[in-house]
Amino acid sequence: MSRKTRSLSTRKSPLLTIMGFILSLAAVVMLVGFLNQSDEERQQPGITEQIFSYSGFTRVIEQEEVKFYHQLAKREVDDIDNSDLLDQRTKAIAQSVSAQFYLGNKLGLYGPYSLTHLQEQMKIENAQRKVDKKNGKAIYGPEQFDIYSYYQYVASNLEVKIIDYLAANADKPLLTKSRAYFEENIALYNHADQIVYSITDNGSAEEHTIDWSQLKSLDNADAELADILRSGEAGQEFSYTFGNLQRTGKIISRTDVKTDFTQQKIAITSDFLKSGYYKQLLQQLSDNNPVTFAEN
């Protein structure tokens, strides 16, 4: 009886040995695969996850800077005598400004932000513009900035840089959202490049050719015709009332532009960010990294 038990154990041993070898080999393959991954594959979390991870930073705003945001708020609030509304808008602007410059700094697109630093930059910029004007060089924008116009200038340029950076370095979650935006707004990307059509007024027919930009302009002059041409197909005949006239016509031919998301993903992702998602990201940053106003 004991001999039989030992015999069974002996027969199982080679199978267990083979299974152990296979598991060890699989582990080695997985390790080698990891070591052979590109730096890109083993890099830090994607850009969206990085932004969501930025938290715990609290910035204290001194009274001079509070006054600056207060003046910006006055330009946006209709009822400047409503102190509660003005204070709310002042705090919201301070939060948004801090979030954007904080993000710009985290992405390596802007140095540490402070109102004092912004004022120093403005002085340098104004001095350069003064020299450029004296030397006859072209100057774009005002000859000299005040702190409010300079802030708008710097903030708007920084927003463009951040959006360009995020679009160029979009991770899977951001690309997924961008593709959904693309599919929801496909008419903005797939459109008629050129349409040849005829219009008949009072028995007299005329042939016209129109491109996409002209079609947008036609919306103001003849919106119904613009809609017909925008959605119609080659060979389609149509009829509609224009003023006191009953017009007939035909779409003779059309050439369409088709946009491929993969080939245009950076531009489409940029559009998606500008459509409102960038502001959502800033709000997330603002919530995770609040500002506080220093006591008087």
Side-chain angles (χ1 to χ4, degrees):
M1 185 74 174
S2 66
R3 226 182 0 254
K4 183 177 180 182
T5 303
R6 284 197 300 272
S7 177
L8 287 172
S9 177
T10 303
R11 283 199 298 271
K12 287 181 181 178
S13 180
L15 177 61
L16 292 174
T17 301
I18 293 172
M19 289 179 63
F21 175 75
I22 293 173
L23 290 173
S24 299
L25 182 61
V28 171
V29 170
M30 290 176 63
L31 179 60
V32 171
F34 174 77
L35 293 175
N36 286 335
Q37 282 182 325
S38 66
D39 291 339
E40 183 177 352
E41 291 173 321
R42 286 187 278 121
Q43 68 181 357
Q44 295 179 348
I47 191 66
T48 306
E49 189 175 346
Q50 286 183 44
I51 292 174
F52 290 156
S53 72
Y54 298 150
S55 63
F57 174 71
T58 299
R59 183 167 175 268
V60 179
I61 298 178
E62 300 296 334
Q63 284 302 304
E64 181 185 1
E65 191 170 342
V66 174
K67 292 177 182 177
F68 170 70
Y69 298 131
H70 191 75
Q71 288 299 318
L72 290 177
K74 281 185 174 181
R75 301 182 179 195
E76 299 182 11
V77 174
D78 293 331
D79 185 6
I80 61 175
D81 294 326
N82 187 329
S83 59
D84 290 338
L85 185 62
L86 198 56
D87 288 345
Q88 290 176 13
R89 188 58 194 148
T90 298
K91 183 68 178 291
I93 291 175
Q95 290 276 20
S96 179
V97 170
S98 294
Q100 173 160 288
F101 281 94
Y102 175 67
L103 178 57
N105 180 253
K106 280 289 191 179
L107 299 179
L109 303 174
Y110 195 84
Y113 169 75
S114 71
L115 181 61
T116 300
H117 178 61
L118 193 69
Q119 290 169 327
E120 290 301 319
Q121 285 184 310
M122 181 189 69
K123 291 178 182 178
I124 295 172
E125 178 69 27
N126 282 341
Q128 184 61 53
R129 285 173 177 254
K130 190 173 182 179
V131 171
D132 288 344
K133 182 184 178 182
K134 183 177 180 181
N135 294 334
K137 292 184 179 180
I139 298 175
Y140 300 98
E143 292 183 4
Q144 295 285 282
F145 288 104
D146 60 29
I147 189 58
Y148 302 104
S149 60
Y150 186 68
Y151 155 73
Q152 295 289 351
Y153 170 74
V154 172
S156 60
N157 284 337
L158 180 58
E159 178 176 322
V160 171
K161 288 180 180 179
I162 293 175
I163 288 177
D164 286 348
Y165 181 91
L166 296 180
N169 295 276
D171 55 8
K172 186 175 180 179
L174 181 53
L175 288 175
T176 299
K177 292 179 183 293
S178 299
R179 182 182 285 277
Y181 166 82
F182 167 71
E183 292 172 353
E184 291 172 2
N185 297 275
I186 195 70
L188 298 175
Y189 299 97
N190 294 348
H191 57 78
D193 183 44
Q194 188 177 80
I195 301 172
V196 180
Y197 67 98
S198 64
I199 285 288
T200 301
D201 283 332
N202 297 323
S204 176
E206 290 186 1
E207 187 174 301
H208 304 274
T209 299
I210 191 169
D211 61 25
W212 180 246
S213 61
Q214 293 170 329
L215 192 59
K216 292 180 179 179
S217 300
L218 185 62
D219 281 321
N220 298 322
D222 192 342
E224 188 168 357
L225 176 59
D227 288 340
I228 292 171
L229 298 178
R230 187 176 286 112
S231 59
E233 299 179 356
Q236 176 180 326
E237 296 182 352
F238 56 85
S239 175
Y240 72 101
T241 303
F242 181 72
N244 297 324
L245 299 174
Q246 186 64 32
R247 281 182 161 180
T248 60
K250 181 178 180 179
I251 299 177
I252 300 170
S253 66
R254 62 180 293 147
T255 304
D256 292 325
V257 171
K258 298 288 185 182
T259 300
D260 180 84
F261 176 79
T262 302
Q263 294 179 350
Q264 300 293 328
K265 63 183 179 182
I266 293 179
I268 295 171
T269 301
S270 178
D271 290 345
F272 169 62
L273 287 162
K274 293 173 185 175
S275 73
Y277 191 62
Y278 175 67
K279 290 184 178 179
Q280 291 182 37
L281 291 177
L282 286 188
Q283 185 60 56
Q284 182 74 40
L285 273 175
S286 179
D287 293 341
N288 292 341
N289 303 275
V291 300
T292 59
F293 290 172
E295 297 294 332
N296 292 329

